[in-house]
Amino acid sequence: MVKRQIPKVRDLAPLMQFKKPELNAKKRRLDAALTIEDLRRIAKRRTPTAAFDYTDGSAEAELSITRARQAFQDIEFRPSILRDVSKVSTGWDVLGAPVAQPFGIAPTGFTRMMQTEGEIAGAHAAARAGIPFSLSTMGTHSIEDVRDANPHGRNWFQLYMWKDRERSMALVDRAAKAGFDTLLVTVDVPVAGARLRDKRNGMTIPPALTPGTVVNALPRPQWWIDFLTTEPLSFASIDRWSGTVAELLDTMFDPTVTFEDLAWIKSQWPGKLVVKGIQTVEDAKAVTELGVDGLILSNHGGRQLDRAPIPFHLLPDVAREVGSDTEVMLDTGIMSGADIVASIALGARFTLVGRAYLYGLMAGGEAGVNRAVDILSEQVERTMRLLGVTSLEELEPGHVIQLERLVPRPRS
């Protein structure tokens, strides 16, 4: 027989403490987000479909981004036990200067379309976290505004080479004068990819009001209030545009850019130069021979060529071939700190996150970006501890096994 007694209040009180209610709705929903996927779900609820799909979608059947994310899921970690992991360092030098985390904020276009604070929220969050912030040629705040938002941090500028070379290099000159320390030259956009979600949504700049747009906006009044009561959408590189996103990109991107053009850009830029959009070992070798400071394995988040190579799968081969001569970085598909740790273990010096940052922005402005960065940072540190390592230098390929799902057929 179990002996029972009437519970005493003094005994129950320590066991039944009620959580203090959070009255700030934004803080309440962001605190409840424990993963980047949680932020994505919040963002989807709060953002009109056209803007959300511009961020969330990719090209054609969206196989490239699906495969990139699957590649990170298809890994097995190999932890070491009985290591002292009471103190962990998540930073090291990237391109000659320190970073507090092995990831930074990737360049994204049309950012104020997602949420009105746009790049300024990202720059502030990067300054707070001690990580680089990258401004896109298609950014919606100026080079100078981003510098002022992150005056003591690391600002990187991403360049699309336009058909108008003089205009392109004028942007490069502005970035140099504003103290941006790194130029990211994107090389995988001779033309715009077929982003079918945008076409189906009639994604235009500025947004076109249709009956469907209005209906979709009704449960999202805050987005429209912010959009209509702040400065009109403008870009770092152009003043105004009325038309579809694809039409804008096709007027700007230059399909004639070659390795000679890349060498010329390098000669004009005083800081570090990184080539973004490498998708083969051969091209990684070619740009390394030009003397670039780094390269980014990337298929543009799956937004250009569908069925493109998976950057994470390329990483070990590229790191082995050129990692001793240039800094190898990676983006596309990263949704957790574990993805970042796996990338560092397999040879990446650094990673960039785009959608993860934008999901936070759409979920809660600057506070949402801070939450995204905190989630990734916490996951990086926890994964390192559980692997039994105390610094990024200790991560090595033996910590990660890439499980095979898509295996190429032998060529005849």
Side-chain angles (χ1 to χ4, degrees), residues 176 204 312 342 347 352:
T204 59
F312 185 60
L352 291 170

Side-chain angles (χ1 to χ4, degrees), residues 275-287:
V275 181
K276 183 177 184 295
I278 300 298
Q279 299 176 69
T280 66
V281 173
E282 293 75 19
D283 281 344
K285 291 179 179 179
V287 299

Side-chain angles (χ1 to χ4, degrees), residues 217-269:
L218 290 177
R220 301 167 177 87
Q222 188 61 53
W223 187 93
W224 283 102
I225 291 171
D226 289 341
F227 186 81
L228 295 173
T229 60
T230 56
E231 292 185 12
L233 192 68
S234 59
F235 301 90
S237 52
I238 56 176
D239 296 326
R240 293 288 184 272
W241 176 262
S242 59
T244 67
V245 173
E247 289 169 347
L248 171 60
L249 301 184
D250 281 336
T251 64
M252 294 180 61
F253 297 158
D254 186 351
T256 71
V257 175
T258 66
F259 282 95
E260 287 74 18
D261 294 299
L262 181 60
W264 177 73
I265 295 169
K266 184 177 182 298
S267 71
Q268 307 294 308
W269 174 251

